[in-house]
Amino acid sequence: MIIDRKSSIYEILGRDIMNSPDVTTILRLLSDRSRITILDILMDGRAYTVNEITAFTKLKQHTVSYHLKLLTEAKLTAVKQYGKFRYYSISNTMTPELFEFLSNYSPVEPTKSYKQHFAKKELKQARTCYDHIAGELGVKIKDFLISENIIIAANDNSGIYSVTPSGEIFFAEELKINIENLKKKKRKFCIDCLDWSERKNHLAGALANAILDFLLNNDYVTQATGSRALKITDTGEKFFKDNWHIILTQNDLSQ
């Protein structure tokens, strides 16, 4: 009996493909520039109405509603009703992880105006990546925490970090962050997240979110309207320099 090995392989591969998740659904959704624009707006971690998203884009209201319907059906976004308004947001941490990952393999469009140049420099300096800090500031915060032995990486190169005993004291006394409470949250505690503009890792997870909240609550950084950019205040610039030894190379955004 002669076995047709080639056809057998094709049959096996065919069965595997039929039983695998249909990634083409997500790829088709993310191949549309308008939907990417909407996701980019929501990547600042806040919830917006259709009217607010429309105001940030050049899209028509019914177009935004249509795209949000598709994104929500695919579970990339979520919607909650508050009174007569429906608010859309990123559904879970997997969406920004996917968005940031794809950004590392996507070409950067050339700058065509001073406004675009300024906006791009703002994003490179500091921005939100869903609910944590990305850009030069995010990377330098991670470098500071490691250099001061506040967090340490796992030995298996998994990109997972834990807080040292001295680090727990640092977070409790300096940032008023309770590490044990953060560990109880149903999400990753502290992990690497590849930064598309710096080509290095910043931190993501519950701890990174708590750090962002601390900086926002103390007005060391503020969130821009309709953008993921974070503005570093004068107080914040002094705080980073005096306490965390962080001096950003892109302080003068006008250059």
Side-chain angles (χ1 to χ4, degrees):
M1 179 180 178
I2 299 174
I3 299 176
D4 187 345
R5 294 185 180 276
K6 185 176 292 187
S7 62
S8 298
I9 291 173
Y10 286 141
E11 288 174 6
I12 292 170
L13 289 175
R15 287 197 299 271
D16 287 344
I17 293 171
M18 290 295 292
N19 294 323
S20 299
D22 185 10
V23 297
T24 60
T25 300
I26 298 297
L27 293 177
R28 280 196 299 269
L29 278 172
L30 297 181
S31 66
D32 185 275
R33 184 178 292 274
S34 296
R35 288 193 279 272
I36 290 295
T37 299
I38 292 171
L39 283 176
D40 193 39
I41 291 170
L42 297 177
M43 279 283 286
D44 69 359
R46 290 176 283 193
Y48 294 100
T49 65
V50 170
N51 287 341
E52 288 172 327
I53 294 173
T54 301
F56 295 143
T57 68
K58 296 180 180 179
L59 303 174
K60 296 185 181 299
Q61 184 175 339
H62 69 270
T63 303
V64 172
S65 296
Y66 170 71
H67 288 313
L68 284 169
K69 177 178 179 293
L70 295 180
L71 291 170
T72 302
E73 287 175 351
K75 299 181 180 179
L76 292 175
T77 59
V79 59
K80 288 186 178 180
Q81 185 92 26
Y82 293 98
K84 64 179 182 179
F85 295 107
R86 291 161 65 87
Y87 285 83
Y88 292 86
S89 61
I90 296 294
S91 60
N92 54 57
T93 58
M94 292 300 294
T95 302
E97 287 176 11
L98 174 62
F99 194 93
E100 197 75 5
F101 176 80
L102 291 175
S103 296
N104 282 281
Y105 295 93
S106 303
V108 178
E109 293 187 355
T111 301
K112 298 179 181 178
S113 67
Y114 176 77
K115 184 178 179 180
Q116 286 183 342
H117 169 77
F118 187 80
K120 186 179 293 185
K121 294 202 75 171
E122 280 189 319
L123 288 173
K124 284 175 64 66
Q125 183 182 74
R127 65 183 182 276
T128 53
C129 178
Y130 183 46
D131 65 353
H132 58 268
I133 303 172
E136 183 187 2
L137 178 60
V139 170
K140 287 193 171 180
I141 287 175
K142 176 196 170 185
D143 291 344
F144 162 73
L145 296 176
I146 292 175
S147 66
E148 296 295 317
N149 197 39
I150 295 170
I151 62 172
I152 54 174
N155 293 325
D156 57 1
N157 294 320
S158 60
I160 297 174
Y161 296 83
S162 59
V163 177
T164 64
S166 60
E168 291 199 24
I169 295 173
F170 166 82
F171 284 116
E173 294 183 352
E174 303 294 329
L175 278 65
K176 309 303 179 189
I177 293 175
N178 187 307
I179 296 300
E180 289 305 313
N181 287 344
L182 287 183
K183 289 179 179 178
K184 294 176 184 177
K185 292 191 174 185
K186 295 180 179 180
R187 62 177 301 184
K188 295 173 182 177
F189 173 67
C190 187
I191 59 171
D192 271 334
C193 182
L194 185 58
D195 195 291
W196 64 261
S197 61
E198 297 300 300
R199 303 300 181 184
K200 297 178 182 178
N201 290 315
H202 58 250
L203 296 176
L207 179 59
N209 174 231
I211 293 172
L212 173 59
D213 285 344
F214 165 79
L215 296 175
L216 287 170
N217 291 337
N218 286 276
D219 289 323
Y220 295 141
V221 298
T222 58
Q223 284 189 298
T225 302
S227 170
R228 293 166 55 193
L230 290 169
K231 176 178 173 55
I232 301 169
T233 64
D234 292 339
T235 306
E237 189 174 326
K238 186 176 188 305
F239 170 82
F240 290 127
K241 180 180 178 181
D242 295 346
N243 296 278
W244 293 3
H245 319 302
I246 293 176
I247 299 175
L248 300 177
T249 60
Q250 300 181 50
N251 276 337
D252 187 359
L253 294 174
S254 64
Q255 298 297 314

